[in-house]
Structures are given as structure tokens and as C-alpha cells.
Amino acid sequence: MQENETLKQLFQKEFSKIVAVISKQFGLQHIEIAEDIVSETFLQALETWKNKGTPANPTAWIYKVAQRKTLYHFRRGKIFEQKIVPNLKSTQEKNDEISSLDFSPQNIKDSQLQMLFAVCNPTIAGEAQIGLALRILCGFSIDEIAEAFLSNEETIKKRLFRAKEKLRASKVKMELPPEKEIEQRLDNVLHIIYLLFTEGYYSKTQNEVLRKDFCLEAMRLCLQLTDYKKTNLPKTNALLALMCFHSSRFRARLASDDTYILYENQNQELWDPALIKQGTHFLLLSATGNDLSSYHVEARIASLHCQKEDSKKKWEKILHLYNQLLFLNYSPAVALNRTFALYKVYGAQAALAEAEKLKLDSNYYYFILMGELYKNIDHKNAKANFLKAYSLARTITDKQALQTKIDSLL
Amino acid sequence: MEDFVFLFRQPEMDRSKLSQTEMQAILNKWDNWFGGIAAQGKIKNMGLRLVSPGKVLKPGGIITEGPFVEIRERLNGFIMVKADSLEEAVTLAHGCPALEFNGSVEIRPVSMGEQLKGTLLSS
């Protein structure tokens, strides 16, 4: 059991590296072969290590076996000579490719960065892209991805297959975008990382370990980008800061029965000071240049939420930042958060007047906010709104929480 | 949904006489008023804030400097909003801080988008 757990961790750590290295060397069109090779390698590891014990350097063992399997595959049936060699750039390369895979730290790093840009290519937008990122960039298994999306393995497999087909059809290559395009393409990469993180942070699944892993992987990918000069831009650091601040509350937001604890009821002692410090560090690094991204604004808001005192001044700043965020990018969630901040600064009456204008009549959170705003002014209206939210609630936990709110009004 | 421009005009005021707190209060007012429209998802474009002093070029090469004696109110910025009708746009304009300072909001439909659409559809 212990052994399997370690092997699983090793798989997660090495899967994306090996797939990236093979794909860089032989071409992205062979990405599925690369995945199969890694899976077979770990299967062999499981069997061999069970009998002979874990080798002194498991990673080196894995690389060696993966290399043997790769070379065997591509040499077999002359795939290598006929399809790969003509496409290799130089004789030097041709000689290198035949004999080995390059698992040097630098090449692993370069390959992973190229893979990040390949998977986050705008041609394969949508849910399939997140799935592909979770699989290829983070090494999550199909059933883990299915669990996160509350879907089944078959659906996810099909989705990933289509995404890979698209990559092939649009001839996406393993390379960094040209200098001129890199910033624009980076926006797409950052957006995918942001979605990965959000998928983990607000995931529908009850599997807390998995959720946390998604978030950590998103942070790791973003950290990769800070390692490379052309992608280490202020907005990259802003996104990283944002994720650090949010993650700092991981422990505090989870109750013993696996339900979420709302921000205002969290035990602040459980906030992780190391992550808050990291967040502040990246926030400072993000504060250069003229480009103000939504990540900057969100990171600033998240940093204020990490301050323990609850002053009007703090909420004034938060309100201002939510206004900014809306100017950059409207979303119902931001509109609701902005209205809550308005309530904290100007009181319930002022917030209600603004909330009435939002017209979010099918939004569950809208009615919770309305209920909260009415709570100390008008019990009847508060109850009516909580009841509307109750009718829109999707989980039993949400319904129970609302019932408690309704009962407390009487 | 159509596009409308809000043009904000208000009398020139001597900001040097305002304290920092008063200045901040005015800025907050504008910020939150814009925020209220943005929270409804109705901002099309944040437009520009215009700063004084500027210059005005008149026929015959006459250049005047702000504050503009002929025009009581000066243009101090604009935004672009989305609304279903001119009436709705006017409703959105209510509560504008410029009104508190004896200013005005001019609400004008933007026709270029519609014209362009017409051209594209007919071709």
C-alpha cells in the first residue's frame, strides 16, 4: 500500500516530464504513444519492484525503461527511419535521437514549457482543454479527471481523444511561440492555469485531496513560467500571487464534515502564513510595468482578504478593486462580490438599492446575498429570498445551510 | 442592446481648494457610480477622463485656453454603455456625480455600429 502510494506520486511527478520529452523529440503527433509508453513503464515498475524491491534511484530506472520502450517503438516497423528521421532538423539531431532520450534537467524544463504552450493552444478551447491539461501537463489519471468533472471515464477519454485529434489536425508543434506572439499566447496559458486552479478550488467533487492537488499543480505550472524570462511577466506573478493567497486558506475553509466554512466564520489561525508570505512576494514582483491584468486586481483583493482586521478602510479598498475588476471583465460573481463590499462600506440599504438593479433572477448566490442584506432590516423579505435560494440550491449541504439561516430568522 | 455614449460636463472647479479627503470622496463617488453600471454588465467601454487645462481651436486660427469662458461647462470625460433603449440609458445615467456639481450627462446613441451592420448585411 505504502509502496503503491509512492509509485503513484512518482507517476504524477514524472508522467508529464516523460511525455513532454518524448513529444519534443519525436513530434507532438505521437503524444498518445508517449502516454502509453509511460503507463507501460510504470506497470513494469510495479511488477518488477514488487519482486526485486524498489531500486536505489527510482526516477533513473523509470527514465531508462521509458527510453528503451520509446526507442523500441519507433524503430519497430521502420517508423523511425521513414517518418521521424526525415523531419529531424540536423544530422547531429538524427544521430542523437536514435541512441537516447534527453532527460537532462534543462531539456525536461524546455520540453515541459513547450508542452504547456502546445496544450494551451487556442485552437482547442473549452472543457476538453482543461481535461487535456490535467492529463498531459499534470499527470492526473482519467478516473481522477472524471471525478473532478462529475463525469465518467468513457466521456473523458472521448473528450481527450478529440482534443488530441484537434492538436494533430491543426499541426500544433512543440515549440515556443515566436517572440511577437508570445505575450498574447501567454494570456491563453495563464487563463488555462487559472481555470485549473479554479477547478480545484471550487470543484464539485468531494475528494478534498484531489482538489488540493489540482491547485498545487496549477501553481507548479505557473511557477514554471516564472523560470523563463519571456514568460516571467508581471501578470504571471500576479496569477501566482493570487493562487498563493487563496491556497493559504485551504485548511481554514474546510469543516470536519467536508463542507465549506464561509470566509467570515473561518478560524484565521488556520491560515497558512508561509503561503501568504509567498503571495506577498509574487504580488510585489507583479507590481511593475503598465499592464493591469484582472489577475493583478484579484490578487490585491485576495491579499486584503488575508489581512485579519476587518476595517471600513479595508472594505473601501476591496470595493474599489471590485469596481476595477468589473471594468476589466464583468461576471455575475464579481458583481455580487462588489455588492457585498458596498454593503460593508455603506450599509445594507445602499447595497440593496444596487442589488435590485443586478437582475440575476436565476442566480442562487444572488438570493443568498439579498437574504443577508435584508436579514437585519426586514425578516419577511430575508426569508423570502433565502427560500428562493433554497429552491435553487443543488446540494443537500447547501440546502441544510439555508435551512439554518431561515430558522434563525424566526 | 444598443450602444450609448455618456458625455460628462461640469463647471470648472478649483481642485486646489479641496482637501485630500474631499478629493478622495469625489473620486470614490465616481468610482462607485461607474461600478454600479459595471455591476449590471452595462459598460461597453470605460472611455476617457479628460484633464484641464486644454486648448480649443477656432476658425481663423484662434486658440483659446481652458477654462473656457464661452462654455460654462467643460467636458470632463465619457464612457460608453449598453442599453435596450434611450430611456434605459437615461435611467442608467441617474445618480451621476456630475449632477451633484451642477453638471450634466449628455446621453447620445452611437449609430456607427448599426450603420456598419447594415453595410455588412447588404453586401
Side-chain angles (χ1 to χ4, degrees):
Chain A
M1 185 63 208
Q2 182 71 35
E3 198 89 308
N4 283 351
E5 207 36 54
T6 335
L7 197 64
K8 194 192 169 301
Q9 280 169 4
L10 192 66
F11 180 88
Q12 175 120 38
K13 206 170 119 231
E14 298 302 333
F15 178 88
S16 64
K17 294 184 188 169
I18 305 173
V19 169
V21 165
I22 297 175
S23 301
K24 187 186 171 204
Q25 217 147 329
F26 294 96
L28 196 61
Q29 68 269 32
H30 300 293
I31 190 169
E32 247 155 19
I33 308 281
E35 284 180 77
D36 288 345
I37 286 170
V38 185
S39 300
E40 283 168 26
T41 303
F42 274 86
L43 206 63
Q44 190 174 329
L46 185 69
E47 282 164 10
T48 316
W49 299 359
K50 199 163 61 189
N51 297 328
K52 296 184 181 168
T54 308
N57 187 343
T59 310
W61 190 99
I62 294 286
Y63 287 167
K64 216 167 108 188
V65 174
Q67 170 175 299
R68 198 166 61 221
K69 285 183 188 297
T70 308
L71 296 180
Y72 176 76
H73 173 85
F74 285 105
R75 278 172 181 159
R76 199 182 50 186
K78 298 200 170 158
I79 296 174
F80 190 76
E81 282 78 5
Q82 288 168 3
K83 295 197 172 155
I84 312 292
V85 175
N87 293 322
L88 296 178
K89 285 164 206 138
S90 64
T91 348
Q92 169 67 33
E93 247 182 351
K94 283 175 194 177
N95 292 334
D96 284 353
E97 312 301 324
I98 298 166
S99 57
S100 68
L101 285 178
D102 182 358
F103 282 116
S104 66
Q106 187 58 46
N107 190 54
I108 289 177
K109 222 161 101 176
D110 292 349
S111 308
Q112 282 188 300
L113 192 68
Q114 291 176 4
M115 188 59 103
L116 184 57
F117 273 93
V119 169
C120 298
N121 193 292
T123 53
I124 48 161
E127 238 178 339
Q129 191 161 39
I130 312 290
L132 196 64
L134 286 168
R135 176 67 182 155
I136 301 295
L137 302 174
C138 313
F140 287 105
S141 67
I142 306 287
D143 59 304
E144 283 172 325
I145 299 170
E147 189 180 344
F149 285 122
L150 296 185
S151 182
N152 59 56
E153 289 186 35
E154 217 35 57
T155 311
I156 297 296
K157 264 190 199 155
K158 276 187 198 148
R159 209 182 274 170
L160 295 188
F161 181 77
R162 275 198 300 271
K164 280 180 263 187
E165 277 297 294
K166 256 191 191 164
L167 279 182
R168 247 190 298 268
S170 34
K171 299 203 164 56
V172 174
K173 289 206 173 67
M174 284 285 286
E175 60 190 12
L176 287 178
E179 189 101 4
K180 273 187 293 180
E181 289 169 31
I182 206 158
E183 228 197 293
Q184 202 198 345
R185 289 284 308 279
L186 179 66
D187 283 348
N188 208 56
V189 175
L190 294 178
H191 183 61
I192 299 299
I193 293 176
Y194 179 76
L195 291 179
L196 281 183
F197 185 85
T198 318
E199 191 59 46
Y201 206 71
Y202 301 106
S203 175
K204 300 167 209 114
T205 168
Q206 297 286 325
N207 185 338
E208 186 57 23
V209 178
L210 188 59
R211 279 200 292 235
K212 204 169 173 179
D213 277 353
F214 276 27
C215 293
L216 291 176
E217 280 296 313
M219 289 164 83
R220 184 184 61 77
L221 292 176
C222 203
L223 207 57
Q224 269 179 21
L225 290 169
T226 62
D227 236 12
Y228 182 65
K229 210 176 105 202
K230 288 183 187 116
T231 53
N232 185 21
L233 299 184
K235 54 189 165 192
T236 313
N237 286 284
L239 176 57
L240 202 45
L242 166 64
M243 295 192 286
C244 288
F245 287 131
H246 276 317
S247 304
S248 74
R249 290 196 296 275
F250 249 130
R251 221 147 51 95
R253 69 201 273 268
L254 200 74
S256 52
D257 59 349
D258 266 0
T259 56
Y260 287 132
I261 300 173
L262 287 177
Y263 174 77
E264 51 188 358
N265 302 329
Q266 285 173 8
N267 176 4
Q268 298 176 344
E269 298 306 314
L270 292 177
W271 293 353
D272 185 337
L275 274 168
I276 295 177
K277 210 175 143 195
Q278 280 292 321
T280 311
H281 167 75
F282 290 117
L283 189 63
L284 281 172
L285 288 176
S286 79
T288 53
N290 294 320
D291 181 27
L292 184 76
S293 67
S294 60
Y295 307 125
H296 280 94
V297 183
E298 283 191 60
R300 280 282 291 136
I301 295 171
S303 83
L304 287 164
H305 280 315
C306 287
Q307 288 174 14
K308 291 179 181 170
E309 110 285 0
D310 191 41
S311 66
K312 189 181 168 196
K313 230 188 168 83
K314 177 171 112 174
W315 282 101
E316 267 177 0
K317 283 185 198 161
I318 293 175
L319 173 60
H320 169 68
L321 288 161
Y322 273 124
N323 286 337
Q324 295 289 312
L325 201 52
L326 283 168
F327 301 156
L328 288 169
N329 217 341
Y330 165 82
S331 83
V334 178
L336 290 172
N337 281 328
R338 184 247 174 201
T339 311
F340 183 76
L342 197 79
Y343 153 68
K344 292 294 258 185
V345 181
Y346 297 105
Q349 292 290 5
L352 272 168
E354 291 280 283
E356 301 278 356
K357 297 182 199 160
L358 295 183
K359 298 211 175 75
L360 296 170
D361 292 340
S362 54
N363 189 310
Y364 162 73
Y365 297 101
Y366 173 70
F367 292 109
I368 294 201
L369 177 68
M370 289 296 277
E372 290 292 333
L373 294 178
Y374 271 123
K375 204 165 71 180
N376 298 320
I377 307 172
D378 178 346
H379 273 199
K380 217 179 112 205
N381 256 324
K383 192 179 168 187
N385 279 289
F386 283 141
L387 281 173
K388 274 186 195 155
Y390 189 92
S391 71
L392 291 167
R394 288 204 196 125
T395 67
I396 296 168
T397 328
D398 287 344
K399 282 191 192 283
Q400 279 167 351
L402 275 162
Q403 195 57 58
T404 317
K405 280 184 197 291
I406 293 167
D407 293 344
S408 73
L409 288 170
L410 302 172
Chain B
M1 212 55 107
E2 291 169 61
D3 296 341
F4 296 86
V5 166
F6 287 180
L7 298 162
F8 308 114
R9 289 196 179 82
Q10 68 185 70
E12 187 76 36
M13 86 179 152
D14 190 357
R15 298 192 172 214
S16 64
K17 283 192 186 128
L18 293 174
S19 73
Q20 210 182 341
T21 327
E22 286 170 318
M23 224 13 242
Q24 193 55 49
I26 293 175
L27 289 177
N28 283 349
K29 253 184 199 154
W30 279 99
D31 184 56
N32 289 328
W33 185 69
F34 288 141
I37 300 174
Q40 299 172 59
K42 299 253 159 99
I43 297 261
K44 168 90 177 176
N45 183 309
M46 278 307 286
L48 295 167
R49 310 304 133 243
L50 307 176
V51 187
S52 289
K55 286 186 192 293
V56 176
L57 178 62
K58 305 222 139 190
I62 298 159
I63 298 164
T64 62
E65 299 206 9
F68 312 108
V69 279
E70 312 90 324
I71 313 166
R72 204 178 66 84
E73 295 178 321
R74 82 187 163 86
L75 186 66
N76 68 349
F78 66 91
I79 60 167
M80 223 164 144
V81 302
K82 296 179 275 189
D84 286 327
S85 61
L86 183 60
E87 286 66 38
E88 197 206 335
V90 174
T91 310
L92 278 178
H94 275 76
C96 174
L99 304 171
E100 289 177 40
F101 302 100
N102 260 327
S104 68
V105 188
E106 185 172 337
I107 299 118
R108 302 284 295 272
V110 181
S111 70
M112 204 180 70
E114 286 304 307
Q115 256 178 22
L116 195 65
K117 225 188 278 170
T119 318
L120 289 173
L121 286 175
S122 64
S123 66

